[in-house]
Amino acid sequence: QVQLVESGGGLVQAGGSLRLSCARSGRTFRRYAMAWFRQAPGKEREFVAAISWGGGSTYYADSVKGRFTISRDNAKNTVDLQMNSLKPEDSAVYYCAADENIGSRHWEYDYWGQGTQVTVSS
């Protein structure tokens, strides 16, 4: 089993920045690709970014490319999401996810955190 705990969410003005972090406990972290998804009220959970287990490959949703950066530190068992130039439409609950295979669809991931709220005011 893998346990994931997100932190770093909060309220920020449009144009500001936030850094989310996801801490892993349980099985060996290095074997898992990691991803961030988000879900706004009344909307489906959507892909934000993913990173391979070695960190050499990263993928982003078009809506966040150039603004968000995903990174991981396998020694610390963490994965971060640096979010810059935030927009009101980025407001959502952000979830960390893990799976042996990297992907962009939420059903591809076996392990999930509880989520952290990000609110961007205009």
Side-chain angles (χ1 to χ4, degrees):
Q1 286 291 338
V2 174
Q3 293 79 44
L4 305 172
V5 178
E6 303 96 335
S7 61
L11 174 64
V12 65
Q13 288 187 335
S17 299
L18 278 176
R19 188 175 184 90
L20 305 183
S21 186
C22 174
R24 191 281 309 173
S25 61
R27 284 187 170 179
T28 305
F29 180 80
R30 291 188 301 272
R31 299 179 182 176
Y32 290 93
M34 303 294 296
W36 288 93
F37 288 79
R38 66 187 182 188
Q39 188 166 19
K43 295 187 177 181
E44 292 190 0
R45 191 166 297 191
E46 66 172 355
F47 172 74
V48 175
I51 187 167
S52 61
W53 70 268
S57 297
T58 56
Y59 304 90
Y60 297 92
D62 289 343
S63 60
V64 306
K65 278 181 183 176
R67 300 188 298 123
F68 290 12
T69 302
I70 190 170
S71 61
R72 67 189 295 163
D73 186 333
N74 287 346
K76 296 180 179 180
N77 295 332
T78 58
V79 60
D80 291 348
L81 184 69
Q82 177 66 43
M83 306 185 295
N84 299 327
S85 302
L86 283 161
K87 305 175 182 179
E89 51 264 42
D90 293 319
S91 297
V93 177
Y94 282 70
Y95 297 91
C96 175
D99 195 81
E100 292 184 9
N101 300 303
I102 198 168
S104 61
R105 290 165 287 193
H106 62 83
W107 60 83
E108 295 177 301
Y109 287 82
D110 285 339
Y111 303 104
W112 292 86
Q114 82 290 348
T116 185
Q117 177 71 48
V118 171
T119 303
V120 184
S121 62
S122 57

